[in-house]
Amino acid sequence: MPYSLAIFDLDGTLVDSFPWFLRTINDVADRFGFRRVRDEDVEGLRHASTREILSRLEVPLWKLPAIARHARRLKGEAAAEISLFAGAEAMLRTLSGNGVQLALVTSDSEVNAKAKLGDVASLFSHFDCAASVFGKPAKFRRVMRRAAVEPTKVISIGDEVRDIEAARAVGIACGAVSWGYAAPAALQALAPDYMFAQMDEIADAVGRTPAKI
């Protein structure tokens, strides 16, 4: 049988928020006292893990909760500027129409997430939003319990190294998209189960018989 639950990341996977991030990050850096991002830094950061990014930018870890709250507020104010990637709506409607449960796991707030998703928010059966001290693995486990789906029939799809690591931690398949925050080479180095170059490839992969993990 094909995958019966698809867990999606939001920013960089379904919605094109990277341009907004680049416009906003240095204002946040100035406010919270970490290094500004220069144009020449961007590509290197796209090849780094979350931990490496925080280290390179000298982000004080104790400020992370406040930074996350501030970023969520800014995203809420900019929701109208952040749109779905081309083809995302058609892909999600195809999956939902084929009986696949859709879940969204993001560090953003549920209100912001639904605003950015627009009409397709109604296609999602499960949301696990906001920051978590236990990270994405805990969120994935909660979603799978709510959906009552065994791990072999679950796939997560995201655009960052941590998305792949979280999927591996809970024993589910993982797909990585090439159009998000992390550089494709950084994702390919971790050998995800699927590497997507185009949005329509996702519906094809989710419809396949899951590989044994």
Side-chain angles (χ1 to χ4, degrees), residues 12-198:
T13 302
L14 295 176
V15 301
D16 188 11
S17 60
F18 195 51
W20 170 85
F21 170 81
L22 293 177
R23 291 195 302 271
T24 307
I25 184 61
N26 285 333
D27 290 339
V28 178
D30 292 344
R31 181 184 180 99
F32 290 96
F34 58 90
R35 277 190 51 215
R36 292 170 65 90
V37 176
R38 301 167 300 176
D39 290 346
E40 57 268 32
D41 296 331
V42 173
E43 190 58 27
L45 293 173
R46 293 186 71 223
H47 286 265
S49 68
T50 301
R51 188 181 298 275
E52 289 168 339
I53 291 170
L54 295 176
S55 176
R56 290 185 194 183
L57 297 184
E58 300 174 5
V59 178
L61 297 183
W62 65 271
K63 291 185 179 181
L64 281 178
I67 293 171
R69 286 193 299 271
H70 183 64
R72 285 195 292 272
R73 182 179 66 77
L74 293 179
K75 278 185 182 177
E77 294 171 354
E81 304 172 32
I82 302 172
S83 59
L84 288 168
F85 281 109
E89 178 173 353
M91 178 272 295
L92 293 169
R93 291 193 183 280
T94 296
L95 293 180
S96 179
N98 289 339
V100 178
Q101 291 189 68
L102 302 181
L104 190 80
V105 167
T106 176
S107 57
D108 204 350
S109 70
E110 187 169 335
V111 169
N112 285 356
K114 288 181 174 178
K116 286 186 278 189
L117 288 171
D119 292 342
V120 298
S122 63
L123 301 177
F124 285 80
S125 303
H126 310 282
F127 289 84
D128 201 314
C129 302
S132 168
V133 67
F134 299 109
K136 280 199 166 182
K139 292 180 174 225
F140 286 175
R141 291 189 182 98
R142 283 197 297 266
V143 166
M144 288 191 290
R145 283 198 300 271
R146 294 173 195 152
V149 177
E150 60 188 64
T152 56
K153 294 182 180 178
V154 182
I155 183 170
S156 77
I157 299 165
D159 69 308
E160 295 185 75
V161 165
R162 61 178 177 161
D163 297 316
I164 299 172
E165 293 173 339
R168 295 266 164 77
V170 301
I172 63 176
C174 57
V177 304
S178 63
W179 52 81
Y181 280 61
L187 301 170
Q188 288 171 332
L190 293 182
D193 298 288
Y194 304 93
M195 190 75 205
F196 301 117
Q198 299 182 82

